[in-house]
Amino acid sequence: MEFDKNEFFRQATLRICSSLDIDKALSNFFSYIRLFIPVFQADLSMFDPSTGILSNLANVDEAGDKKTLPPTPLSRAAIQELESATKAGGVATRQWNEQSELVKILRRDFDLSNCSSLSMDLVLEGNRVGFLGMHAEGKAIFTQKHLDLISPLREPLTIAMSNALRYQEVVKLKDILDAENRELSRELRSFSVSEIIGAEYGLKNVMDMVRQVAPLNSPVILLGETGVGKEVVANAIHYSSSRRSAPLVKVNCGAIPDSLVDSELFGHEKGSFTGAITQKKGRFERADTGTIFLDEIAELPPQAQVRLLRVLQEKEIERVGGTKTIPVDVRIIAATHRDMAESIRTGAFREDLWFRLNVFPITLPPLRYRKDDIPALVNHFLEKKAKELKIYPLPTVSIEEVERLKAYHWPGNIRELENLIERELIHIRGKGKNERLRFEHLEILEKTKAPALEPDRAGDLPTLDETMSRQIRQALQKSNGKISGPTGAAQLLGINPNTLRSRMRKLGISFKYS
């Protein structure tokens, strides 16, 4: 039967263009071409002369296996061999042997020794897209007949590879966009009070206070140690309020140089100082009709404290170098881990500003006081970090390990727990399936840090607020939530009921039983 070159070209081209997935297209092409050319493997690759790196885009063999080889840096001698084997704009054959530099470099992933190769340079509009390689076992396997047969396919192969590369780029960008959208949706969902981890247990009193204050416009001050989740609570307040469709602008007051604080918060006019080449809106203007979250408020320099006080009193700002007052409608949520009474006593923080901010204080308990939330937090961070690190299936954590975590004193609070889980996931990454987290680094931490709740050790005493909070909660528990009257918590503690309520308000203890 006479061989029909036109039919061969048509069938080969159909398979080349059968899919935008470059692996599928190469596999379909390879299955067909093997009927006419003795090949055991085919690959599509790219070489970047600026970096000297050979990148394999798709690879298929006679067993049907698809294995993409890792990017490989080539020596100068190997580059010369590769260039001679991929003659520009055409098809060439090459015999490989043990002495070849390219063979030596690729041997770990792909053994070319004692092979014949047929290579086709893929060039589109003067630019090299990549090259096709087909390999056969033995010497001088490919003939001129094979070259003549494969040469007409250079143009459809080039176009198909170019389209596949562009498709890969589009898919990659789409994946990035989808990931960003998922992350944004996750963040927005996480701001729901009911979905905050610990909302029904260790943070129940805090979340009760969030529900009370969220619908209002009153300033809120969040107090607590570093890493307890003050920003998460600020998010919950904003996204549970009527301002949720307006901006939530976050400012870390401790991260802005003193000389730039006024400009960052209140903006500046063009030419107001060296480098002010344009007018700039500050964070308060950008947060107009929304919320501004001032984290580490105690780090604000004195001059910024004076201007912030005016914002709270007059609801207006002036840009640096400006003379016009600008009204702003902004709700302020502030946060600090500092002892504000000490900061006021030493003059580091204005007392009148503190009185303006301290309208509705919410104290977040440290992780060591909410140990029952640890299993849920572990599960949350495990899912989050495993997804970020692309670890699948999800590693498991034994009950014993969770109990070890609950026994630890967590000086770094939730942030320390999150970092510990990420560290352990990095250590087991790539070890295989069904891995369990061991938290071996916790042993080092336990040896180097003394438990924070052992009052008999110097320097490890709980703070006065922590002790007071624990005493009040114990009294409320004994009185079944009753504050005033006989057998009430106030009587048990020996203080006036109004004084107790004031302290409960300051410490963020719920009034739900009163």
Side-chain angles (χ1 to χ4, degrees):
M1 183 177 179
E2 186 177 349
F3 177 73
D4 188 339
K5 288 186 177 181
N6 291 331
E7 181 63 16
F8 169 80
F9 179 83
R10 190 178 78 84
Q11 291 295 334
T13 302
L14 284 173
R15 285 159 175 79
I16 292 167
C17 303
S18 61
S19 175
L20 282 172
D21 184 323
I22 201 166
D23 288 302
K24 289 182 181 178
L26 181 62
S27 181
N28 292 338
F29 171 72
F30 178 76
S31 298
Y32 181 71
I33 208 75
R34 288 188 67 227
L35 300 174
F36 306 91
I37 300 177
V39 294
F40 74 90
Q41 186 164 326
D43 57 73
L44 286 168
S45 304
M46 293 177 65
F47 175 69
D48 185 351
S50 63
T51 61
I53 292 178
L54 176 67
S55 302
N56 179 236
L57 302 176
N59 195 4
V60 63
D61 62 22
E62 58 189 355
D65 293 334
K66 301 173 185 176
K67 178 186 177 184
T68 303
L69 307 180
T72 306
L74 302 182
S75 65
R76 181 169 297 180
I79 292 172
Q80 290 174 348
E81 289 182 1
L82 182 66
E83 291 291 348
S84 65
T86 56
K87 188 167 59 177
V91 184
T93 60
R94 177 69 185 252
Q95 316 301 321
W96 302 103
N97 55 52
E98 297 285 348
Q99 284 70 44
S100 163
E101 284 296 317
L102 192 61
V103 169
K104 292 176 183 176
I105 291 172
L106 297 178
R107 178 170 290 153
R108 185 183 65 177
D109 300 300
F110 176 34
D111 190 2
L112 275 172
S113 59
N114 299 315
C115 282
S116 300
S117 293
L118 185 154
S119 59
M120 176 184 290
D121 203 30
L122 306 179
V123 178
L124 184 64
E125 298 178 349
N127 298 315
R128 174 182 278 173
V129 178
F131 53 87
L132 168 74
M134 295 194 294
H135 314 285
E137 294 180 352
K139 301 292 185 180
I141 301 299
F142 298 113
T143 65
Q144 187 61 44
K145 180 181 176 181
H146 296 141
L147 269 65
D148 294 341
L149 188 63
I150 202 74
S151 292
L153 297 173
R154 184 166 60 87
E155 186 174 355
L157 277 165
T158 303
I159 294 172
M161 184 168 178
S162 177
N163 289 341
L165 288 172
R166 291 181 182 181
Y167 174 71
Q168 279 187 345
E169 190 64 27
V170 169
V171 169
K172 187 185 299 182
L173 292 173
K174 182 179 180 297
D175 288 343
I176 292 172
L177 182 60
D178 288 345
E180 289 177 349
N181 287 336
R182 286 194 300 270
E183 182 65 17
L184 179 59
S185 298
R186 186 195 64 77
E187 288 180 2
L188 290 174
R189 288 196 303 272
S190 71
F191 299 147
S192 168
V193 173
S194 62
E195 292 185 12
I196 289 179
I197 296 171
E200 298 301 321
Y201 298 98
L203 289 181
K204 184 171 177 54
N205 291 333
V206 170
M207 292 302 107
D208 287 343
M209 298 181 76
V210 167
R211 292 186 184 94
Q212 292 170 9
V213 78
L216 310 176
N217 290 319
S218 305
V220 178
I221 181 78
L222 304 176
L223 307 170
E225 298 176 8
T226 299
V228 293
K230 294 187 284 291
E231 185 175 340
V232 173
V233 174
N235 290 334
I237 294 172
H238 173 75
Y239 287 99
S240 300
S241 75
S242 59
R243 297 173 178 262
R244 57 183 169 272
S245 58
L248 169 60
V249 176
K250 301 177 183 180
V251 184
N252 187 330
C253 300
I256 307 173
D258 289 0
S259 59
L260 297 178
V261 169
D262 282 352
S263 173
E264 283 295 316
L265 292 181
F266 310 110
H268 63 250
E269 298 291 349
K270 181 179 179 180
S272 57
F273 54 85
T274 303
I277 58 176
T278 59
Q279 184 192 77
K280 175 186 175 182
K281 288 186 177 181
R283 305 291 182 93
F284 273 90
E285 279 187 83
R286 286 156 51 188
D288 192 33
T289 71
T291 305
I292 189 166
F293 175 51
L294 301 174
D295 198 9
E296 299 302 340
I297 189 75
E299 307 299 326
L300 274 181
Q303 73 274 13
Q305 293 181 32
V306 174
R307 302 191 71 167
L308 179 58
L309 182 61
R310 181 178 177 183
V311 176
L312 285 162
Q313 291 174 336
E314 309 296 336
K315 307 294 184 186
E316 60 185 26
I317 64 166
E318 280 186 18
R319 298 191 187 115
V320 176
T323 57
K324 178 184 175 183
T325 58
I326 302 170
V328 289
D329 174 20
V330 178
R331 185 200 195 146
I332 294 177
I333 302 175
T336 182
H337 73 282
R338 299 280 187 192
D339 181 346
M340 294 306 293
E342 179 64 17
S343 297
I344 293 169
R345 188 187 67 78
T346 59
F349 200 84
R350 294 179 63 96
E351 188 174 29
D352 50 357
L353 176 58
W354 173 247
F355 289 147
R356 287 282 182 177
L357 291 171
N358 192 28
V359 174
F360 196 85
I362 299 178
T363 301
L364 278 70
L367 186 56
R368 60 182 175 273
Y369 289 165
R370 41 181 298 215
K371 298 282 183 83
D372 288 341
D373 293 336
I374 286 179
L377 287 166
V378 169
N379 185 62
H380 168 72
F381 289 130
L382 191 58
E383 290 182 356
K384 175 185 174 184
K385 296 300 179 181
K387 183 178 179 181
E388 291 175 3
L389 296 170
K390 295 180 175 56
I391 296 175
Y392 182 83
L394 205 65
T396 59
V397 181
S398 67
I399 296 175
E400 293 78 11
E401 291 299 318
V402 172
E403 290 302 317
R404 281 185 63 207
L405 295 178
K406 292 173 74 172
Y408 182 57
H409 57 290
W410 299 109
N413 293 297
I414 297 172
R415 190 176 296 124
E416 184 181 8
L417 174 61
E418 181 179 6
N419 292 342
L420 177 67
I421 289 173
E422 183 172 3
R423 187 183 307 130
E424 296 302 325
L425 285 171
I426 291 171
H427 279 292
I428 69 165
R429 190 169 183 263
K431 288 188 177 180
K433 298 181 179 180
N434 303 319
E435 283 290 327
R436 280 193 169 190
L437 296 190
R438 304 291 181 186
F439 299 111
E440 295 173 353
H441 288 80
L442 197 62
E443 297 178 4
I444 300 172
L445 295 172
E446 288 169 340
K447 291 176 182 176
T448 56
K449 294 181 180 178
L453 295 180
E454 291 186 9
D456 58 326
R457 296 193 182 186
D460 286 328
L461 287 171
T463 66
L464 184 60
D465 280 352
E466 291 169 353
T467 302
M468 191 183 301
S469 176
R470 187 162 60 248
Q471 288 286 94
I472 291 173
R473 291 177 193 277
Q474 289 175 354
L476 286 169
Q477 188 175 9
K478 284 187 178 181
S479 67
N480 293 320
K482 184 179 177 183
I483 291 179
S484 58
T487 70
Q491 185 182 73
L492 292 174
L493 294 169
I495 59 175
N496 185 282
N498 290 332
T499 302
L500 175 58
R501 289 189 180 94
S502 175
R503 291 183 182 176
M504 288 171 64
R505 205 173 283 114
K506 177 184 176 184
L507 296 169
I509 300 173
S510 173
F511 282 79
K512 65 176 181 174
Y513 296 112
S514 60

